[in-house]
Amino acid sequence: MNLFTKQNEIEKILRDVQRVAEILFQKGWSEKNAGNISVKLPDAIALVSNPKVHPLDKPFPALADTCFYMTGTGKRMQDVAVSATDNGLFIQITPDGHGYIPVKATDQEVRPTSEFPSHLGIHNMIAERGSHETIVMHTHATEIIALTQNPKIKSSEALNKILWGMHPETMVFIPKGAGFVPYILPGTQTIADATIEQFASHDIVVWEKHGIFAIGKDVIDTFDNIDIACKSAKIWFACKSAGFEPEGMTDEQLDELRDLVKKFNS
Ligand code: 2HA
Ligand code: ZN
C-alpha cells in the first residue's frame, strides 16, 4: 500500500538518502551508528483515526502537519544505504505542533534519531525564516573533527579562516561559512539550541570533537557542502603533514570571491 500520493517523488528522495548513506559510510564518516539524516517531505500522510501521539519536549507550530523521513536511532548508515525505510521512519507533526505521530513503513519498530531535537529544531528554524531547505544531515567527518581538537581552532572565525583559505571553491559554495558549537553533550536540547543559533548566520555547523551538520534543498547537495568543507580540512592537514604552514588566501582574494558569489546570486 502506498503511504503517499506523491509516492514517486518520495521514492526518489529515499533513493538519494540511500546513495548518500553509502558515500558517508565509504568515506569513513559513519562508524557504527554515527550520523543521521532527516528530510521534510513534499506530502502528508492520510492518518488513521486515533493515532498514537508522542509529545514533543518543545512545540513546533511552524511544522504543524508536516511529514518527515528520518533515520532511526542506533541504525547504521551502511544499512540505511541498503534500505532507508527499514532503518528509518516517517513521522507527522500534529496539527497543533505539540506532538508527532510515527508512521510505519515496515513492521519493524524504529525510533527517531538520537539527534531528534537538533533535526526538528533546525527544520523549525527553516520554516520560521521561510527558506527552502528540506534536508538536515549530520555526520562524523573525520578531518573536520580533527581540526576542532586543535586548541587554536575554537571559534567560527578560526575555523573559516582555514576552510575558506585552503580552496577558492569553499567560499563559492559555503559563503556564510561554518558556525562553531563548543563541546556540549550530544542528543540534548542544549546542543540543538546552540546549533540552531549558529545556522542563523552560517551554511554549516561544526560540533567540537564530534562532527558536522549541513542543510540543503536536496540530499546530494547537502552532502556536497560537507564534502567541500572536509576537502579544505584535508588540504590543511596535508600541508601540515608535509611539514609546512599552509599560506591560505589573502583577505583581498577572499573579498574577490565574495563579490563573485554576490554576482552569481543576484
Ligand atoms: O546517530 O551521530 O550524534 C548517532 C550520532 C549522534
Ligand atoms: Zn554524531
Side-chain angles (χ1 to χ4, degrees):
M1 186 194 79
N2 286 347
L3 280 173
F4 299 96
T5 39
K6 295 183 180 169
Q7 190 70 20
N8 288 347
E9 226 176 294
I10 308 276
E11 278 172 13
K12 156 89 175 76
I13 293 169
L14 294 176
R15 277 198 303 276
D16 285 349
V17 168
Q18 292 177 177
R19 186 176 154 209
V20 166
E22 175 66 21
I23 300 171
L24 295 176
F25 176 65
Q26 293 299 343
K27 288 260 185 197
W29 296 348
S30 61
E31 67 287 350
K32 198 167 166 67
N33 62 325
N36 22 77
I37 303 172
S38 63
V39 184
K40 178 181 171 182
L41 299 175
D43 202 355
I45 296 173
L47 290 172
V48 291
S49 54
N50 297 323
K52 184 166 169 31
V53 176
H54 295 240
L56 287 168
D57 290 341
K58 214 173 164 171
F60 292 123
L63 298 180
D65 292 322
T66 309
C67 192
F68 295 92
Y69 163 80
M70 55 182 65
T71 50
T73 188
K75 297 297 179 187
R76 290 178 171 81
M77 268 309 150
Q78 54 177 310
D79 293 333
V80 174
V82 177
S83 172
T85 45
D86 281 358
N87 295 280
L89 75 165
F90 299 105
I91 65 159
Q92 185 147 326
I93 308 296
T94 53
D96 63 3
H98 281 254
Y100 73 91
I101 298 152
V103 183
K104 283 185 180 180
T106 66
D107 288 339
Q108 292 166 13
E109 195 66 58
V110 182
R111 285 182 294 117
T113 162
S114 58
E115 301 297 354
F116 193 53
S118 288
H119 279 262
L120 269 199
I122 295 166
H123 283 294
N124 185 65
M125 173 210 74
I126 293 167
E128 280 181 347
R129 77 182 180 191
S131 58
H132 300 289
E133 297 88 356
T134 54
I135 316 295
V136 176
M137 192 179 294
H138 165 61
T139 193
H140 297 178
T142 315
E143 291 82 357
I144 292 285
I145 300 169
L147 276 184
T148 71
Q149 288 283 353
N150 185 326
K152 292 194 180 133
I153 310 170
K154 301 285 181 194
S155 67
S156 306
E157 206 183 11
L159 196 54
N160 288 322
K161 197 168 163 53
I162 292 173
L163 298 182
W164 286 331
M166 292 303 106
H167 199 288
E169 303 254 308
T170 310
M171 173 63 85
V172 173
F173 292 109
I174 311 175
K176 289 194 276 172
F180 178 76
V181 172
Y183 181 80
I184 300 172
L185 189 68
T188 58
Q189 190 60 49
T190 317
I191 200 165
D193 291 343
T195 307
I196 292 156
E197 195 182 319
Q198 289 301 319
F199 265 120
S201 50
H202 296 100
D203 297 308
I204 52 177
V205 173
V206 171
W207 283 1
E208 181 182 358
K209 297 173 187 158
H210 183 146
I212 187 165
F213 265 83
I215 58 176
K217 291 181 186 145
D218 77 55
V219 188
I220 314 287
D221 262 5
T222 310
F223 161 76
D224 286 343
N225 281 352
I226 298 175
D227 203 22
I228 287 165
C230 208
K231 175 74 174 224
S232 277
K234 277 184 192 163
I235 298 169
W236 192 81
F237 281 111
C239 298
K240 291 283 207 183
S241 305
F244 65 92
E245 196 58 35
E247 274 189 332
M249 226 80 85
T250 65
D251 287 345
E252 290 72 30
Q253 288 167 336
L254 291 178
D255 283 345
E256 195 181 30
L257 283 164
R258 269 192 202 96
D259 289 345
L260 186 73
V261 175
K262 269 188 218 141
K263 216 184 287 173
F264 216 64
N265 294 333
S266 63

